[in-house]
Amino acid sequence: MRKQKPTYLNFNLKDYAWKPDIDYRKHPELYRVGKGEQGVLICEPYKSEIGKYWRFKNSEIAEESSAKIYSLFMEYLESEDFVGADMARKYLQMGFTRARRYFNYKGGKKYDPENNYEPLERGTGDPEKAKSAEIFYKKWKEAEENPTYTELKQEWKDKLG
């Protein structure tokens, strides 16, 4: 089995498409959809607007968090703010992926930095996080399947990338 080290070890901020010093509401043309959750922890003002609600400690908290983020997603769509909607979608996706990581690995850590980034044992995490992941997964898919979002995303990618 081939060892895979974490991608963040070779991260180059200079070449990263998303920048922390850009206001993406004022300059939406600079936003890129990207893959998965890229840019989610950088793009302001959305990071501050959405991130404060992002929680997955247990299923009750995940339910409340995902509902609030989904309501923000819908508000962004209603105001034709694609960047905001896409960022809210990314937070829902990240709720799923992070909760799954904490379910799979104790403390959410996949690699041991003290041991040449060897993968840590899988199946050692918190079983409660699987419930949180499922809650976020449903809201994430609901957002992705929203016809208005799908249309705006395609238009955005065609025009701006």
Side-chain angles (χ1 to χ4, degrees):
M1 186 167 135
R2 192 175 143 251
K3 287 186 193 173
Q4 183 177 353
K5 290 191 177 182
T7 55
Y8 57 79
L9 290 178
N10 298 317
F11 183 74
N12 183 351
L13 184 59
K14 185 175 73 65
D15 294 337
Y16 198 53
W18 300 269
K19 306 293 181 203
D21 57 342
I22 295 173
D23 181 328
Y24 287 93
R25 181 167 286 126
K26 290 180 181 172
H27 297 284
E29 72 282 0
L30 299 175
Y31 180 78
R32 298 296 172 260
V33 173
K35 289 188 268 181
E37 304 152 17
Q38 289 179 318
V40 74
L41 297 175
I42 293 178
C43 296
E44 290 288 7
Y46 304 102
K47 171 189 162 187
S48 295
E49 291 174 3
I50 305 165
K52 62 185 171 188
Y53 300 110
W54 182 67
R55 304 284 180 268
F56 56 89
K57 184 175 184 175
N58 60 44
S59 57
E60 292 80 20
I61 290 170
E63 194 72 56
E64 185 179 318
S65 174
S66 65
K68 177 60 179 173
I69 293 169
Y70 188 81
S71 75
L72 291 171
F73 169 82
M74 293 304 293
E75 288 175 26
Y76 291 130
L77 282 184
E78 287 167 18
S79 62
E80 296 182 4
D81 181 348
F82 171 73
V83 177
D86 196 51
M87 287 289 293
R89 190 256 328 147
K90 288 181 181 193
Y91 269 96
L92 293 170
Q93 180 178 359
M94 192 168 67
F96 166 69
T97 60
R98 294 307 186 279
R100 286 300 300 177
R101 184 183 302 160
Y102 278 81
F103 167 69
N104 289 326
Y105 300 97
K106 185 177 182 180
K109 303 210 182 311
K110 291 172 70 172
Y111 303 101
D112 182 359
E114 304 294 318
N115 190 17
N116 198 28
Y117 291 94
E118 287 288 323
L120 293 168
E121 184 181 354
R122 192 177 168 110
T124 57
D126 179 358
E128 176 69 23
K129 298 299 189 283
K131 296 173 191 168
S132 295
E134 183 62 28
I135 290 164
F136 270 98
Y137 182 82
K138 288 177 182 171
K139 285 294 186 191
W140 167 37
K141 290 304 172 182
E142 189 177 342
E144 279 200 332
E145 294 167 3
N146 179 294
T148 304
Y149 171 76
T150 304
E151 185 180 315
L152 288 174
K153 182 177 181 180
Q154 191 57 55
E155 288 173 12
W156 191 272
K157 288 175 94 173
D158 290 346
K159 275 182 18 189
L160 300 166

